[in-house]
Amino acid sequence: MLECDKGGDRLDLKFVICDDERSQREYLKKLVSGWGKLHLYALEIKEFDSAEAFLFDYEADASADILLLDIQMKQMDGVTLAKSVRLKNNHIQIIFITGYAEFISEGYEVSALHYLMKPVSAERLYKVLDRAAVILSQPQHSVVFESENGRLRIPTDDIVSAEAFAHEVELTMKNGEQQKIKAGISEVEKALGSGFFRCHRSYIIGLNSVRRISR
């Protein structure tokens, strides 16, 4: 199944709160819910008590928009988790939650949006979430599709071409990676929109990636 997200005035946001302290998760969820009601946003909020639990779920559904992530957790830490998340999703807004300032510098390589020190105040969190909402509301066209590794959301700007193989379509990305999705080529063509051209019954190309046209 393909779903398109083309932006708009109303935001539907998927949150993930990952913290090994139950009280902290409940507190953050309350703050996030309050922020959503303030702006009339539709929110989906998932909670996880470990990095491992989140990654297991993330393998099946990588469509989260905002991740509130504790840095210090048992076994896998938040920075290591963020690196794994970035392998699939460059657009998710990561907000680190930490009780120790010395850990802040460790997350720059995963392009975290911000760091919040515990205890997190509503005012400070709301300001950061406002920034995340502005970024996520920028006009863009992304496709959520079913793949052999679960659901993935990919901005169409990252897609170079699509090629049909029987009952699957293989997407070639700007970084050279390839993703196989469970869809027909006509369905993919419709979802990708006007920035793409079907030059053959089995091929779709991204017009932004075309450098030269000849006979």
Side-chain angles (χ1 to χ4, degrees):
M1 178 180 179
L2 299 175
E3 302 172 9
C4 300
D5 180 6
K6 299 182 181 179
D9 294 332
R10 181 177 179 272
L11 283 182
D12 296 339
L13 297 173
K14 293 185 178 182
F15 275 81
V16 169
I17 299 173
C18 188
D19 195 301
D20 56 4
E21 296 183 22
R22 181 178 178 181
S23 60
Q24 183 71 7
R25 294 196 307 273
E26 292 177 347
Y27 174 65
L28 290 173
K29 183 177 181 180
K30 181 179 179 180
L31 293 184
V32 169
S33 297
W35 174 80
K37 291 178 181 178
L38 180 66
H39 294 287
L40 302 179
Y41 294 154
L43 307 184
E44 176 185 323
I45 305 174
K46 289 185 176 182
E47 300 176 50
F48 298 93
D49 61 3
S50 70
E52 292 79 9
F54 168 61
L55 282 178
F56 181 80
D57 182 82
Y58 192 70
E59 284 298 317
D61 184 0
S63 60
D65 299 300
I66 299 176
L67 171 60
L68 298 179
L69 180 58
D70 185 19
I71 290 183
Q72 288 183 289
M73 293 186 290
K74 299 175 182 177
Q75 297 181 358
M76 183 183 292
D77 63 88
V79 175
T80 302
L81 169 59
K83 291 177 181 179
S84 296
V85 168
R86 280 288 183 240
L87 294 176
K88 274 191 175 184
N89 191 334
N90 288 322
H91 298 271
I92 187 172
Q93 301 302 302
I94 299 175
I95 302 169
F96 281 118
I97 310 294
T98 179
Y100 301 91
E102 59 264 30
F103 288 100
I104 291 179
S105 61
E106 295 186 20
Y108 283 110
E109 58 188 287
V110 297
S111 302
L113 176 65
H114 203 79
Y115 297 84
L116 292 173
M117 296 291 297
K118 296 181 179 180
V120 177
S121 69
E123 180 181 5
R124 293 175 63 194
L125 178 61
Y126 283 15
K127 286 182 179 179
V128 177
L129 294 183
D130 286 344
R131 286 175 54 201
V134 169
I135 295 171
L136 293 169
S137 64
Q138 296 300 312
Q140 68 172 23
H141 183 191
S142 61
V143 181
V144 178
F145 58 83
E146 297 291 339
S147 73
E148 56 188 6
N149 296 318
R151 301 184 75 204
L152 294 176
R153 174 182 291 176
I154 294 184
T156 53
D157 286 345
D158 291 347
I159 300 174
V160 173
S161 64
E163 181 178 0
F165 292 95
H167 301 293
E168 291 184 327
V169 171
E170 186 174 79
L171 304 178
T172 298
M173 317 306 293
K174 285 184 177 179
N175 61 8
E177 294 183 356
Q178 294 178 321
Q179 296 277 4
K180 289 185 177 180
I181 63 174
K182 300 177 181 179
I185 191 71
S186 295
E187 188 180 3
V188 173
E189 179 186 17
K190 182 179 179 180
L192 292 179
S194 60
F196 291 79
F197 177 69
R198 188 169 178 179
C199 57
H200 182 274
R201 67 179 183 178
S202 299
Y203 294 94
I204 298 172
I205 59 171
L207 296 178
N208 287 336
S209 300
V210 175
R211 294 292 176 266
R212 183 169 62 92
I213 299 176
S214 66
R215 290 186 179 181

